[in-house]
Every structure is written in structure tokens, then in C-alpha cells.
Amino acid sequence: MRRKRNKNKLKDIIVRLERIRDFYSESSKQTIKDFLEYKRDPKDRFTYDWPELFFLRMDLNELAVFLLKIEDINARRLVIMREELTGFSKNSLFNDFRINNNQLTNFTDFENRKHKDITESTPLDESFGGRRIIPVPNYPGEFLAFIALISRLPLQWLLLSFPEKIWSIEHFGFFNDASLFYGKSEWEEYLRALCHNSHDVRAVILIDKQTNLKLYLRVEVLMGTVIIELCNITASSKEYELFMKLFHGESYIYGYMPTVIPSQINHTVIIRHPHSMRPICYPIEFIVKPPSLY
């Protein structure tokens, strides 16, 4: 009986994936409103699970095509903020990060029931080589930066109907506590201070005082597993070497994390938190590779 239920569930997921592919096919005439309609419950809320998004994450090129097909920016945010993509439920976003339901409702309100504008024009910031968001009362820069961090998407994908298909690290500039001086002992102290028995994501900028190189790291703690992702734009050999030196003499798993930008594949190291006894749990996107010279 259980095997039959699992088989039916898999068939259902396949049908859902086919629905997504039909939506972004060139011949499709579906609107995003039509596409999302089957996700509503009898009370008109988007409460149904999206297990197909787990499978879509296994091919980020396909996920990128799907997200960019959704030109209504609030509707795209609605999909991005699903727990199946971010790994965070509404409850955890509130309890752990104080992002309340009203913020999320306005942020994903593609039917414009409570529409509030977000400024899209932004000044150039030379230090990050791209545009930065002008903080506005409803959506300060820190909020937008955090959503970009947990979703692993460039900021523009949260703000523009037709974003540039380039990788970005501009959201790192909005985190006040992100910068640390480069050093193995300082880095180890930082990791030990993270709560191992939780799900958390941090932005870290490691600055090497000798070379002035900066490592832009996405650090995710997942119940004892720590995933450290080098987010530098097409990381140089020197940046890669600095990154790997942080783990010299340690037990770790090395690999890559693809992104929605095909040319941007991030070097990634996975370790067990020093205070954890749990087994290591890989993210869906992670590709294991043997360590080698750059």
C-alpha cells in the first residue's frame, strides 16, 4: 500500500513538472495567473505544497528559465519565497529573522491587493561593480539582501521583470556584520560561534589585509552541516587558494554549487560543525568533486 502511494505521489510530481515546462514553452499561452490558480486552496490561499520545486532545483538552468518566464515580479517573488526553494517556512522566517507575514504578503502580492512600489532605479556602487537598491520604508536594503542570500539569486531577479543574466554579489554590501579580517583562527572562531542545532544563513566578507582580496562567502548552517560557498564573480586562482587555505588540515567535502547563471559555478566546502554529532547532509544542488589544483 505504501509503495502504491509513493508511486502515485511520484506520478503527481511528474505531472506538476510537466505543467511547469508547458508554462515556459514557447507555444504556451498560459498567463502566470492561470498557472498559479491550481496552487490555491478552497480559501484562495497559496498553501499547497510544491514538491516539484525540489526536483527543479536539481537543474538550476531549468529553474532559471522558469523564473524568468514569470515576468510579473511579484508573482516571481511568490514562487521564490516558497519553502521548497529557500528552505525556510514562514514560521521560521518570523521566529528566526523577524520577517513578518505582512511583509511577505506585500512582497509577493502579484494581484496588487496591497500593492506598494519598490524603487528599481539605483545608483552605481563602484565597490560592488553594479547597482544597489535605494532603501525604501517597506523594503529596506537588508530585507532584499537577505532574500537574495537565502534564495541564491542576484538582487535584480527580485526587482526587475527582465533582469540581466549576470551573477551579482551586491547584496553582501547591505549586511552590517558581514566583514571579517582573513585568518584561519578568526574563521574557526566565527564558525564555532554559530548555533549548530539550527538552520541559518550568513553573508561573510573575509578581507585579506596583505593582498586586500575579498572572499564573499555564503555560510549556511543546516542542523550541524555547514555549507561554505565562495560567491566571488568567476573566482580567480588567488581567491580560490585563499578560500581553500581556510580548511587546510581539516576534514571537509569539496565540490561545486551551480547557480541560475550558467557561467557562475561556486566553489563549495561542506564540513560538520565542531559542536555537532549529526551526519552531514548535502544540499540538492551540490556536486561533489575531488580536490585539485585550480
Side-chain angles (χ1 to χ4, degrees), residues 96-124:
D96 299 334
F97 306 106
R98 290 298 180 262
I99 294 177
N100 64 50
N101 194 53
N102 288 336
Q103 281 179 300
L104 290 178
T105 298
N106 292 334
F107 190 61
T108 60
D109 182 24
F110 79 100
E111 292 173 323
N112 297 323
R113 288 169 295 190
K114 298 179 181 178
H115 181 67
K116 295 179 181 178
D117 290 332
I118 296 180
T119 304
E120 290 188 353
S121 59
T122 54
L124 187 69

Side-chain angles (χ1 to χ4, degrees), residues 23-84:
F23 168 69
Y24 66 69
S25 68
E26 292 183 5
S27 60
S28 175
K29 295 182 180 179
Q30 280 191 82
T31 66
I32 185 59
K33 192 170 183 179
D34 295 334
F35 175 76
L36 291 175
E37 200 60 36
Y38 82 108
K39 286 298 183 182
R40 296 181 190 273
D41 67 12
K43 294 184 178 179
D44 207 34
R45 300 171 301 183
F46 291 103
T47 58
Y48 291 134
D49 293 338
W50 285 48
E52 64 271 35
L53 293 180
F54 284 118
F55 287 81
L56 209 59
R57 281 172 55 188
M58 297 173 71
D59 185 344
L60 290 184
N61 289 332
E62 186 173 8
L63 177 62
V65 172
F66 171 53
L67 292 178
L68 292 180
K69 172 67 176 179
I70 307 173
E71 295 172 5
D72 183 296
I73 191 60
N74 284 29
R76 188 189 300 153
R77 292 179 194 144
L78 176 67
V79 176
I80 289 169
M81 292 309 301
R82 293 294 311 177
E83 182 178 357
E84 293 89 349

Side-chain angles (χ1 to χ4, degrees), residues 258-277:
T259 72
V260 292
I261 307 301
S263 61
Q264 181 72 28
I265 300 175
N266 296 337
H267 298 284
T268 302
V269 165
I270 295 180
I271 62 174
R272 182 184 284 111
H273 191 285
H275 299 153
S276 176
M277 298 298 291

Side-chain angles (χ1 to χ4, degrees), residues 17 45 71 102 147 216 223 274 279 288 293-294:
L17 281 171
R45 300 171 301 183
E71 295 172 5
N102 288 336
I147 302 305
Y216 295 91
M223 297 301 174
V288 180
L293 296 177
Y294 190 84

Side-chain angles (χ1 to χ4, degrees), residues 217-231:
L217 307 180
R218 181 186 187 274
V219 180
E220 182 170 5
V221 182
L222 185 57
M223 297 301 174
T225 298
V226 186
I227 304 128
I228 305 105
E229 190 173 343
L230 179 63
C231 297

